[in-house]
Amino acid sequence: MDLTFSEEQDELRKVVRSFLAKHSDEAEVRRLAADPLGHDPAVWHRMAGELGLQGLAVPEEYGGSGFGYVDLGIVFEEAGRALLCGPYFATVALAAEALLRCDDEEARRDLLPGLASGETVATLALTEEDGRWDEAGIRLTAHGTTDGWRLTGVKTYVPDGHLADLLLVAARTPAGVSLFAVDAGAPGLTRTPLPTLDQTRKQARVRCADTPARLLGAEGAAWPALARTLATASVLLAAEQVGGAAATLDAAVAYAKIREQYGRPIGSFQGIKHKCADMLMEIESARSAAYGALWALDGGDETETALMAALAQTYCSEAFSRVAADNIQVHGGIGFTWEHPAHLYLKRAQSSEVLLGSPAYHRELLAARLGI
Amino acid sequence: MELDFGPAVRDFRDELRDWLARHLVGEFAEHRGVGGPTDGEAWDVRLAWDRELAAGNWLGVGWPREYGGRGLGLLEEIVFAYEYARANAPYRATVNALDLLGPMLLAMGSEAQKKRFLPPILAVEALWGQGFSEPGAGSDLASVRTRAERDGDQWVVSGQKVWTSFGVHADWLYVLTRTDPDSQRHKGLTLLLLPTDQPGVEIRPIRNLAGQDEFAEVFLSDARTDADLVVGEVGQGWRTAMATLGIERGTTLLPQQLTFEREAEALIGLARQRGALDDPMLRRRIVDAWISVRIMRTTNLRTIAELTAGRTPGAQATTAKLYASTRHQRLGRLAMELAGPAGQIVGRDYGLDTRQRSFLLSLAETVYGGSSEIQRNIIGEQLLGLPKDPRP
Ligand SMILES: Cc1cc2nc3c(=O)[nH]c(=O)nc-3n(C[C@H](O)[C@H](O)[C@H](O)COP(=O)(O)OP(=O)(O)OC[C@H]3O[C@@H](n4cnc5c(N)ncnc54)[C@H](O)[C@@H]3O)c2cc1C
């Protein structure tokens, strides 16, 4: 029973926050949002080299530092607060998790150290045209040849798929869903960046035409590992959403203190004060959802994790979207401009809501697990 | 999720579980889950049950031994509240004195007051009511007008209090009074302990919307109490009262949360039985009800973890009341909707079932202990630092 943070964890938060305040301030976020690559390799390497953030929760045997999910959640919360641009979520929450969960020790030893050290940018290519995150949504095919596996088909909405060095691709063989590793330079692989509503998180369309790939784990056995990856990534995304939500409340409160109408600060009017209070209540409830899920992950109880992950995705997605919209309302006209950062958070909230399957989908997962 | 604080506390927990299993039988077991912070059902049985607990030395586990407590710590207090709620034992009739007045006296009472009043609370020999609200002072508690004047070695108190929970049963009241007639608002207030058994005190029950005589109005006309029954200092009653309200907002939540979880489970069961789960709109609301009780639980656990780690609880400790009270009302509405027309029929003499009672009484949760609007003011001003509401 340890639902509070240790001093070391408080310290980690402080260090990450001050790093991101420097390297992911509003000007930098806007610069990267407008940049087609959307990523600053120099910052990426400092995140790995100076802070070890990419390998924080990767076990030591694979080149990481072996911290827990609560620690990693702290980093994601801060990343969300700063709207960090770049492939951190794709590499750490999706690809590293998929590798950790697929049953392939050799692949883990080969591939994880590169992710942990920041050398390799990676992602998970799972969704296709219909954007589904369930097993039936996977139709890209893999077939065996005398010199290994080949993939044919299209993945899309792949987070940071345009710049990943390594793509983990979910594909279908006659035996079922399997996971493959594809090198960015593999023959027959084309990647097209997609213009995104939320410019702070890039996506790409990935086409495989008889592209050579390495099978990870046993053929046809990947779905359970992918479902667990989805659960873990949902929890980390929930932490990121909490951070983003908290940043919007800070902005709303700061503005409500200085903006005057009718001769007094708008924050003294209950219409605004109560909205801010409700925002805080939503954020604290979202924190309970996200932290509870992180603690469940570290506790290692699969049933509890699955429940809390679906709960966290549902609740934190909706909470972030709601408070991001409230923040625009508190700001009035200025909140509706391109110049003000409020819309950056609104769009991040919107894209995060559907990044790993919608809240409605996760609500159904939760219902199924509760036997409802 | 189980609370686990290590072996010593585990022994305490096991002893308590065992005691509850052996004593929560017969009439007491029949009244499992009965009562609540504003629910006067089965008062006599509950009082008898409190005496049973007192005999087992289970009341005030965290209070010092010299006042009749067990002298244990915060962990044991939490475990007691949790296990008690888990066993679904009847809601304690003496909760007002145990959870509100007791901690206030322990923190601010004089040694003589503690010696005199705490043991009878733990022995269930004296019942207490909280006399803060007045007809003209509800949310704006600082405008209390009940006057107290010194007359020799006594105070003479006149005025009217209202909404006093379980007031008709109270042997004593702790009342917020104005002792400086020229004072404004929260200055010049004093908190007095006042016996009800005297000619100057008249207590009349008020029927609540569930049909119960749970709360009361209290008329004080030249009621008397001894000069030394001031808690804290003369003129500092506001501070004393605020401390109690802080306790009030926190203590009811842990046991309530377990009750709410039970209600959510019952709701799911009812929905399944009614075939309502095929309706996507209802499914959505049912899952959301489950989510909200799970969030209450996690929020409580966060606060408990911080308290036991010696940390100051975060903002969630304050937002929890607003969240729990509003979400519980939603849960109640959904349960009534699922129950359909059958939920509209009551028993003889307006006898309510658990669902009906809980739904109706949930309407008070956003009012007492500071209404939701006042909670939002507190959150906005104290946690977020927004400018104060204009006050005349
Ligand atoms: C079941 C129950 C048990 C209670 N038990 C006790 C008890 O044992 N002892 C005791 O002393 N009191 C008790 N109370 C009283 C309780 O504390 C008050 O009812 C509460 O503080 C609200 O005061 P009021 O009823 O006068 O409503 P009002 O203060 O008149 O409020 C009416 C409405 O106006 C809103 N409002 C008021 N001021 C503001 C503001 N500044 N900004 C925005 N909105 C505002 C309120 O939120 C509410 O919606 C109990 C109440 C209930 C319902």
Side-chain angles (χ1 to χ4, degrees):
Chain A
M1 238 283 305
D2 187 21
L3 253 79
T4 184
F5 294 105
S6 66
E7 269 167 40
E8 291 75 19
Q9 287 167 333
D10 288 348
E11 189 55 30
L12 171 69
R13 185 186 294 282
K14 241 199 266 162
V15 168
V16 174
R17 186 177 294 187
S18 83
F19 178 89
L20 292 175
K22 224 181 296 155
H23 299 290
S24 180
D25 61 359
E26 187 188 336
E28 186 63 4
V29 169
R30 283 180 182 276
R31 184 180 76 77
L32 293 175
D35 173 40
L37 190 68
H39 159 60
D40 184 341
V43 173
W44 179 257
H45 289 299
R46 293 185 67 174
M47 280 170 67
E50 290 170 23
L51 305 178
L53 298 186
Q54 283 86 333
L56 192 71
V58 173
E60 280 164 300
E61 51 194 308
Y62 309 123
S65 4
F67 282 83
Y69 285 104
V70 172
D71 304 278
L72 192 57
I74 290 171
V75 180
F76 273 99
E77 190 178 339
E78 293 306 316
R81 182 185 282 275
L83 283 183
L84 174 66
C85 297
Y88 189 69
F89 184 82
T91 303
V92 176
L94 292 174
E97 283 306 318
L99 278 172
L100 276 169
R101 278 152 215 283
C102 79
D103 189 17
D104 194 330
E105 183 59 18
E106 199 184 318
R108 271 197 287 271
R109 290 197 183 281
D110 287 351
L111 301 174
L112 271 173
L115 269 62
S117 68
E119 205 123 306
T120 312
V121 167
T123 192
L124 175 67
L126 191 142
T127 48
E128 302 185 10
E129 244 4 291
D130 53 15
R132 289 164 66 166
W133 265 89
D134 56 2
E135 189 174 6
I138 297 167
R139 274 158 307 175
L140 182 143
T141 56
H143 63 277
T145 69
T146 45
D147 60 342
W149 290 89
R150 298 287 160 85
L151 306 184
T152 299
V154 176
K155 292 285 174 183
T156 190
Y157 317 118
V158 179
D160 293 300
H162 63 301
L163 61 86
D165 309 304
L166 171 72
L167 295 95
L168 304 183
V169 182
R172 197 167 278 284
T173 74
V177 171
S178 314
L179 190 63
F180 294 88
V182 176
D183 233 45
L189 183 76
T190 40
R191 305 186 285 169
T192 320
L194 298 168
T196 45
L197 180 75
D198 166 18
Q199 296 172 301
T200 68
R201 182 139 51 211
K202 312 289 189 194
Q203 299 178 13
R205 191 178 157 83
V206 176
R207 178 185 293 279
C208 299
D210 211 30
T211 302
R214 169 179 180 179
L215 176 67
L216 303 176
E219 184 192 344
W223 181 251
L226 286 170
R228 278 200 290 275
T229 303
L230 172 62
T232 310
S234 297
V235 177
L236 296 170
L237 183 62
E240 197 195 275
Q241 288 165 322
V242 166
T248 64
L249 175 60
D250 287 351
V253 167
Y255 191 70
K257 284 179 187 170
I258 54 155
R259 174 69 176 171
E260 293 195 359
Q261 290 296 325
Y262 303 96
R264 50 189 177 104
I266 56 169
S268 69
F269 297 109
Q270 289 189 350
I272 294 294
K273 180 181 296 170
H274 286 192
K275 191 178 278 301
C276 292
D278 281 333
M279 287 169 80
L280 182 63
M281 182 195 74
E282 279 302 342
I283 290 166
E284 285 303 330
S285 305
R287 279 211 162 97
S288 291
Y291 294 172
L294 288 165
W295 270 289
L297 268 173
D298 277 339
D301 177 339
E302 292 249 346
T303 315
E304 177 71 7
T305 301
L307 280 180
M308 287 305 290
L311 181 154
Q313 200 286 346
T314 306
Y315 197 87
C316 298
S317 291
E318 292 176 352
F320 186 15
S321 286
R322 197 154 44 232
V323 300
D326 283 346
N327 181 38
I328 293 182
Q329 181 68 19
V330 169
H331 278 85
I334 195 131
F336 191 65
T337 63
W338 189 267
E339 279 67 35
H340 197 277
H343 73 100
L344 300 174
Y345 285 93
L346 178 87
K347 292 169 185 171
R348 177 62 85 84
Q350 182 58 44
S351 79
S352 305
E353 222 182 89
V354 295
L355 181 66
L356 302 176
S358 67
Y361 173 62
H362 286 267
R363 211 183 247 106
E364 278 304 311
L365 288 181
L366 182 55
R369 273 164 194 145
L370 290 172
I372 292 180
Chain B
M1 213 175 308
E2 293 269 317
L3 294 172
D4 190 0
F5 301 111
V9 178
R10 220 172 292 148
D11 286 348
F12 171 79
R13 182 198 66 189
D14 293 344
E15 184 196 341
L16 172 57
R17 273 191 191 169
D18 177 58
W19 189 91
L20 284 169
R22 280 186 292 111
H23 290 79
L24 194 54
V25 293
E27 197 179 20
F28 300 142
E30 280 165 31
H31 287 82
R32 276 214 177 88
V34 169
T38 65
D39 181 352
E41 286 270 306
W43 182 263
D44 294 337
V45 179
R46 286 163 55 201
L47 206 55
W49 168 243
D50 272 28
R51 299 211 163 100
E52 187 83 3
L53 284 162
N57 196 19
W58 288 109
L59 299 181
V61 289
W63 296 15
R65 283 166 184 277
E66 51 192 307
Y67 310 125
R70 280 210 184 187
L72 299 173
L74 174 67
L75 295 183
E76 285 86 354
E77 294 252 37
I78 292 168
V79 168
F80 178 79
Y82 185 82
E83 290 298 328
Y84 188 86
R86 196 172 155 278
N88 205 12
Y91 199 89
R92 290 199 305 283
T94 51
V95 75
N96 206 330
L98 267 173
D99 288 1
L100 305 181
L101 176 72
M104 180 182 91
L105 283 179
L106 280 168
M108 305 193 199
S110 69
E111 192 50 41
Q113 288 167 355
K114 291 185 212 180
K115 283 220 173 76
R116 174 168 172 201
F117 294 111
L118 294 177
I121 289 177
L122 294 186
V124 197
E125 283 160 3
L127 302 186
W128 285 80
Q130 181 192 64
F132 287 2
S133 306
E134 297 183 4
S139 300
D140 185 14
L141 192 57
S143 64
V144 295
R145 287 164 63 185
T146 292
R147 304 236 328 234
E149 275 171 55
R150 253 321 257 279
D151 177 23
D153 51 10
Q154 288 205 308
W155 291 97
V156 182
V157 189
S158 296
Q160 188 190 340
K161 295 288 172 184
V162 73
W163 317 129
T164 312
S165 286
F166 313 122
V168 287
H169 305 290
D171 304 303
W172 284 82
L173 298 168
Y174 52 107
V175 289
L176 193 59
T177 63
R178 192 165 294 282
T179 40
D180 175 358
D182 301 324
S183 65
Q184 294 279 320
R185 309 206 40 84
H186 56 271
K187 298 196 184 80
L189 297 175
T190 299
L191 200 126
L192 293 173
L193 307 179
L194 182 108
T196 58
D197 182 18
Q198 57 170 311
V201 178
E202 191 196 339
I203 301 178
R204 295 187 202 146
I206 304 171
R207 200 160 188 217
N208 70 18
L209 53 62
Q212 304 170 341
D213 295 338
E214 179 267 314
F215 48 31
E217 52 188 343
V218 178
F219 298 89
L220 303 169
S221 32
D222 292 338
R224 289 187 168 257
T225 195
D226 293 338
D228 59 357
L229 295 187
V230 173
V231 184
E233 280 163 48
V234 175
Q236 296 291 317
W238 182 250
R239 271 188 48 203
T240 319
M242 284 304 107
T244 327
L245 285 180
I247 301 167
E248 177 171 0
R249 284 166 195 154
T251 44
T252 47
L253 290 177
L254 185 66
Q256 271 188 347
Q257 162 230 314
L258 278 134
T259 307
F260 297 172
E261 284 187 17
R262 262 183 216 111
E263 290 175 6
E265 293 302 332
L267 180 115
I268 292 171
L270 178 66
R272 190 174 290 129
Q273 199 187 317
R274 287 281 146 96
L277 296 171
D278 300 331
D279 178 330
M281 294 300 283
L282 281 174
R283 264 171 84 83
R284 182 192 165 114
R285 287 166 64 202
I286 291 163
V287 176
D288 283 344
W290 189 87
I291 286 177
S292 61
V293 294
R294 185 47 92 85
I295 283 183
M296 286 176 214
R297 179 203 287 197
T298 316
T299 300
N300 275 329
L301 290 175
R302 281 172 66 201
T303 304
I304 290 170
E306 285 164 348
L307 282 171
T308 53
R311 296 186 153 214
T312 311
Q316 87 282 354
T318 309
T319 57
K321 184 199 184 247
L322 181 60
Y323 185 84
S325 57
T326 50
R327 295 312 185 270
H328 187 223
Q329 281 178 5
R330 247 183 240 176
L331 186 101
R333 275 199 302 276
L334 180 56
M336 290 302 285
E337 192 177 325
L338 286 171
Q344 299 304 307
I345 308 304
V346 299
R348 201 181 298 222
D349 300 328
Y350 209 69
L352 304 174
D353 63 23
T354 314
R355 182 183 309 121
Q356 292 164 332
R357 196 172 346 118
S358 185
F359 161 66
L360 289 177
L361 296 179
S362 76
L363 275 301
E365 287 158 22
T366 48
V367 174
Y368 66 71
S371 69
S372 291
E373 288 71 25
I374 298 305
Q375 294 300 314
R376 290 189 180 96
N377 281 349
I378 291 171
I379 293 165
E381 292 167 16
Q382 293 176 15
L383 296 181
L384 299 175
L386 288 170
K388 284 215 184 305
D389 241 26
R391 291 192 183 93

